Amino acid sequence: MAPSVDKMLTGLIAATFTPFTREGEINLVEIGPYIDYLTEKQGVRNIFVNGTTGESMSLSVTERKILAEEWCQKAKGKMDQVIVHVGCMSLKDAQELTRHAAQIRADAIAVIAPSFFKPSNADVLKSFLKEVASVAPSLPFYYYHLPAITGVNVPAKDVLDGIEKLIPSFRGVKFSGSDLMDFGRCVSDSPPHWSVLYGVDEQLLAALAMGGHGAVGSTYNYVGCHVNKLISAFENGDLVQARTIQFKIQELLSYAMKLGFDLGVNKQLMSELSGLCLGPPRLPVMPCPPDHAQSIAWKYHSIFPEC
């Protein structure tokens, strides 16, 4: 997995959960089986680690380094690309994680906007991203756009304007917002070597119609095999089949949201469906109520009786 600015990132990327022990410590033992599950059962060959789904902001810098190295080592020869999220509230911490990602030969890095002291506009945010990227200038770089969580309501298009002059290694955006106009403008103005990836799983088909190159999401850990069929149907011009699969995913997530579909529930659902022991989330995220994940898993099997 040597760094390369030439590998186009497309298709499905699973945003991985961080395995914990029952005592709340990182659990590296599960990472190898996790990767095998994604590749063999879900047909997913790209991962986005230490992101929101991976509880990155609840992890120490040391823990994030240990996890990133384990993901990269275990994915070698099995995954196409491992993207390591290195965003932090501290510029120095983000730079430290970026240097480490280059050392462990991650395929790319991604950075979310800092959300405590928030950048006031696109230029400030680009300056922050430039400083992070500068310590590993050959490592492909992605901006992680998640305004609902960060509270940084700067259009992604404004961030992307002129960014490659500041960050020559810039290769795209993980767009986890619901503003499809902003998303479309990112797609329409992106050069051909960029990847514009969508991160709202229940609206993927709309993003594909807008020209999105792929998708990053937590549900692709366990519905990846079905979403691969959705993408294939779309690419083959079978919109009826693509819509059918998208509507099923919406039915599942709508059911889950009525039960309170937060990260703790999502993580436990992954454990239920995959058989992996991912452990509880870390506070302040609360563990899943015992019956919620089982109820959503039952709904999953009723909608998707087989992969």
Side-chain angles (χ1 to χ4, degrees), residues 120-231:
S120 56
N121 56 52
D123 288 338
V124 176
L125 177 52
K126 284 190 276 191
S127 294
F128 178 86
L129 299 177
K130 176 186 176 182
E131 290 301 312
V132 177
S134 68
V135 302
S138 66
L139 195 56
F141 186 98
Y142 292 85
Y143 166 52
Y144 179 7
H145 180 67
L146 185 57
I149 297 295
T150 64
V152 179
N153 294 305
V154 176
K157 174 62 168 59
D158 292 351
V159 179
L160 269 55
D161 283 345
I163 198 167
E164 202 165 12
K165 295 179 181 178
L166 299 174
I167 306 174
S169 60
F170 190 83
R171 288 300 177 268
V173 57
K174 177 185 184 293
F175 190 106
S176 295
S178 58
D179 185 346
L180 286 173
M181 179 175 174
D182 188 22
F183 179 80
R185 294 182 69 224
C186 291
V187 174
S188 65
D189 290 349
S190 292
H193 59 282
W194 286 12
S195 297
V196 182
L197 308 164
Y198 198 55
V200 183
D201 304 10
E202 61 270 26
Q203 298 179 175
L204 173 58
L205 183 55
L208 293 176
M210 298 288 283
H213 304 109
V216 185
S218 61
T219 69
Y220 306 142
N221 284 284
Y222 48 83
V223 297
C225 58
H226 306 292
V227 180
N228 276 325
K229 293 177 183 177
L230 183 159
I231 293 173

Side-chain angles (χ1 to χ4, degrees), residues 14-29:
T16 57
F17 298 93
T18 293
F20 290 131
T21 65
R22 291 182 180 178
E23 294 73 33
E25 302 299 323
I26 57 174
N27 183 10
L28 302 182
V29 173

